Each structure stands twice: as C-alpha cells, then as structure tokens.
Amino acid sequence: MLIDPGLLVAYLAACAVMVVVPGPDTAFVLGQTLARGRRAGWAATCGIYAGASVHIALAAAGVSAVVAASPALFDALRLAGAAYLLWLGIGALRAAFGRADAGLRAAPPARRALLHGMLTNLFNPKVTMFFLAFLPQFVDPARGPVWLQMLLLGPVLPLLSVPFFAVVIAAADRVAARAAAGTGARWLNGAAGALFVGLAARLAFVR
C-alpha cells in the first residue's frame, strides 16, 4: 500500500481538526454568503479549493522545504494575506456606510468571489504551513514516491471541508435572506467588513 495506514488515520484526524477550526477561508465563505448569497458562497468555496490545489502541487514539487526553512518568506506571505483581508474588509465597510441601495447583495459576478476565494486561500498562512510543512510528516518515503503520496493525501483536506462549508453557507444564506432589506444589508456589510479587518489584524500581529 502506497500510504501508511497508521499515518493515514492520523492525517484524517489532523484534517478534521483543520476543517472545524475557524480561519480566513471559513470567514471569507461566511462573509461572501452573508453579503451576496448562496451562489457567492459556493463560488468562494470553489476558489478556496483551487488555491488548495496550488498548495498541494507546490508541496509535491518540493517547495515545502524552501518555505518551511525561511521565516522571511513565511512572514511575507502572512503580511500579504493580512493586507488582502484588510482590503476586503475596507471594501465591505465602505459599502456598509455607503448608499442604502448599495448593499453587498447586489453581487458582482461569481467569478470574482471565486478569484478572491483562491487568493484568500493562497495567502492563508495556516493552509500554507499545513500543506508545505505539516503534510510531509504523513509521508513515508519507504513506501513510494514522496510527490505521489502528497498528491494523494493533499485533496483529503478540501474534500473533508465540503460538508462543513455546506452547513456554513446554508446557515449564512438564511440569515442574510432575512436581513437583506433596508438597514439589514448595511449590517451584513458591516459584519463582513469587521470580520475581515479583525482577521487581517490577527494575521499581521499574532505570530
């Protein structure tokens, strides 16, 4: 068997913990769904999965060793992620304090949510370290090519997150649908903006 059964069980447990611990990806899906509805939430989720695919490919290609050994690279990635989340947060807050009819549920194309989701995932240090430093610990070189084991193990995390994101999107969409009219839209924008700004501050100052 290419994958060690014991390591696989441990990896599944680690992925389960990773899925349920809130982070920028979950916050982004939540914010997009609250602001623009279910379709935007799923588009953001697809973007996150696209970003995860890039992480998996980089890990399999051996980039993990470079990033894990360079605190400067990791800090640069962390600060870039914080800046990106801050930009999203400011945009949402501006919408909250803008015209009453300019709520976020007047959605831009879903492809924009997909792109933002991908960038959020790519700049997410938690995901980066998982794929580039944590994932290799569950690979046994004696069982076969390391890159192939990483390609097989990597998609487990995104797959396990599907039902979790489905619950988040469904719940957020119901809340948003009830609050979409009048001042409710402003509150949704403000909540999403505050969420992103808070995550940006956490990424920038909590190491």
PDB file of all heavy atoms in Angstrom, residues 57-70:
ATOM      1  N   ALA A  57       0.150  21.117  -5.137  1.00  0.00           N
ATOM      2  CA  ALA A  57       1.139  20.992  -6.205  1.00  0.00           C
ATOM      3  C   ALA A  57       2.506  21.504  -5.753  1.00  0.00           C
ATOM      4  O   ALA A  57       3.546  20.891  -6.039  1.00  0.00           O
ATOM      5  CB  ALA A  57       0.671  21.742  -7.448  1.00  0.00           C
ATOM      6  N   LEU A  58       2.528  22.619  -5.023  1.00  0.00           N
ATOM      7  CA  LEU A  58       3.791  23.171  -4.542  1.00  0.00           C
ATOM      8  C   LEU A  58       4.449  22.237  -3.526  1.00  0.00           C
ATOM      9  O   LEU A  58       5.664  22.057  -3.523  1.00  0.00           O
ATOM     10  CB  LEU A  58       3.555  24.543  -3.905  1.00  0.00           C
ATOM     11  CG  LEU A  58       3.152  25.673  -4.852  1.00  0.00           C
ATOM     12  CD1 LEU A  58       2.843  26.943  -4.072  1.00  0.00           C
ATOM     13  CD2 LEU A  58       4.258  25.935  -5.868  1.00  0.00           C
ATOM     14  N   ALA A  59       3.619  21.637  -2.668  1.00  0.00           N
ATOM     15  CA  ALA A  59       4.157  20.700  -1.692  1.00  0.00           C
ATOM     16  C   ALA A  59       4.763  19.488  -2.387  1.00  0.00           C
ATOM     17  O   ALA A  59       5.857  19.029  -2.034  1.00  0.00           O
ATOM     18  CB  ALA A  59       3.066  20.267  -0.720  1.00  0.00           C
ATOM     19  N   ALA A  60       4.048  18.964  -3.385  1.00  0.00           N
ATOM     20  CA  ALA A  60       4.550  17.797  -4.118  1.00  0.00           C
ATOM     21  C   ALA A  60       5.812  18.119  -4.897  1.00  0.00           C
ATOM     22  O   ALA A  60       6.670  17.255  -5.104  1.00  0.00           O
ATOM     23  CB  ALA A  60       3.468  17.279  -5.067  1.00  0.00           C
ATOM     24  N   ALA A  61       5.942  19.375  -5.321  1.00  0.00           N
ATOM     25  CA  ALA A  61       7.119  19.782  -6.102  1.00  0.00           C
ATOM     26  C   ALA A  61       8.329  20.077  -5.224  1.00  0.00           C
ATOM     27  O   ALA A  61       9.408  20.356  -5.730  1.00  0.00           O
ATOM     28  CB  ALA A  61       6.783  21.001  -6.948  1.00  0.00           C
ATOM     29  N   GLY A  62       8.153  20.052  -3.904  1.00  0.00           N
ATOM     30  CA  GLY A  62       9.281  20.261  -3.012  1.00  0.00           C
ATOM     31  C   GLY A  62       9.464  21.679  -2.522  1.00  0.00           C
ATOM     32  O   GLY A  62      10.456  21.987  -1.856  1.00  0.00           O
ATOM     33  N   VAL A  63       8.510  22.549  -2.835  1.00  0.00           N
ATOM     34  CA  VAL A  63       8.622  23.935  -2.381  1.00  0.00           C
ATOM     35  C   VAL A  63       8.487  24.019  -0.858  1.00  0.00           C
ATOM     36  O   VAL A  63       8.931  24.976  -0.233  1.00  0.00           O
ATOM     37  CB  VAL A  63       7.553  24.813  -3.069  1.00  0.00           C
ATOM     38  CG1 VAL A  63       7.614  26.254  -2.596  1.00  0.00           C
ATOM     39  CG2 VAL A  63       7.744  24.752  -4.579  1.00  0.00           C
ATOM     40  N   SER A  64       7.883  22.988  -0.255  1.00  0.00           N
ATOM     41  CA  SER A  64       7.679  22.981   1.191  1.00  0.00           C
ATOM     42  C   SER A  64       8.968  23.209   1.959  1.00  0.00           C
ATOM     43  O   SER A  64       9.002  23.955   2.942  1.00  0.00           O
ATOM     44  CB  SER A  64       7.056  21.651   1.627  1.00  0.00           C
ATOM     45  OG  SER A  64       7.870  20.571   1.212  1.00  0.00           O
ATOM     46  N   ALA A  65      10.034  22.569   1.500  1.00  0.00           N
ATOM     47  CA  ALA A  65      11.306  22.686   2.218  1.00  0.00           C
ATOM     48  C   ALA A  65      11.820  24.120   2.203  1.00  0.00           C
ATOM     49  O   ALA A  65      12.402  24.593   3.183  1.00  0.00           O
ATOM     50  CB  ALA A  65      12.335  21.754   1.583  1.00  0.00           C
ATOM     51  N   VAL A  66      11.601  24.821   1.099  1.00  0.00           N
ATOM     52  CA  VAL A  66      12.090  26.198   0.973  1.00  0.00           C
ATOM     53  C   VAL A  66      11.315  27.133   1.899  1.00  0.00           C
ATOM     54  O   VAL A  66      11.894  27.916   2.656  1.00  0.00           O
ATOM     55  CB  VAL A  66      11.970  26.678  -0.490  1.00  0.00           C
ATOM     56  CG1 VAL A  66      12.408  28.127  -0.607  1.00  0.00           C
ATOM     57  CG2 VAL A  66      12.797  25.782  -1.403  1.00  0.00           C
ATOM     58  N   VAL A  67       9.980  27.040   1.854  1.00  0.00           N
ATOM     59  CA  VAL A  67       9.155  27.941   2.656  1.00  0.00           C
ATOM     60  C   VAL A  67       9.302  27.646   4.153  1.00  0.00           C
ATOM     61  O   VAL A  67       9.434  28.554   4.969  1.00  0.00           O
ATOM     62  CB  VAL A  67       7.677  27.839   2.237  1.00  0.00           C
ATOM     63  CG1 VAL A  67       6.788  28.683   3.138  1.00  0.00           C
ATOM     64  CG2 VAL A  67       7.516  28.263   0.786  1.00  0.00           C
ATOM     65  N   ALA A  68       9.298  26.352   4.502  1.00  0.00           N
ATOM     66  CA  ALA A  68       9.383  25.986   5.914  1.00  0.00           C
ATOM     67  C   ALA A  68      10.710  26.418   6.528  1.00  0.00           C
ATOM     68  O   ALA A  68      10.791  26.685   7.723  1.00  0.00           O
ATOM     69  CB  ALA A  68       9.207  24.473   6.069  1.00  0.00           C
ATOM     70  N   ALA A  69      11.755  26.490   5.697  1.00  0.00           N
ATOM     71  CA  ALA A  69      13.081  26.845   6.215  1.00  0.00           C
ATOM     72  C   ALA A  69      13.355  28.343   6.167  1.00  0.00           C
ATOM     73  O   ALA A  69      14.434  28.783   6.550  1.00  0.00           O
ATOM     74  CB  ALA A  69      14.154  26.104   5.415  1.00  0.00           C
ATOM     75  N   SER A  70      12.391  29.121   5.685  1.00  0.00           N
ATOM     76  CA  SER A  70      12.624  30.553   5.541  1.00  0.00           C
ATOM     77  C   SER A  70      11.560  31.367   6.280  1.00  0.00           C
ATOM     78  O   SER A  70      10.471  31.595   5.734  1.00  0.00           O
ATOM     79  CB  SER A  70      12.637  30.945   4.062  1.00  0.00           C
ATOM     80  OG  SER A  70      12.746  32.340   3.911  1.00  0.00           O
TER      81      SER A  70
END
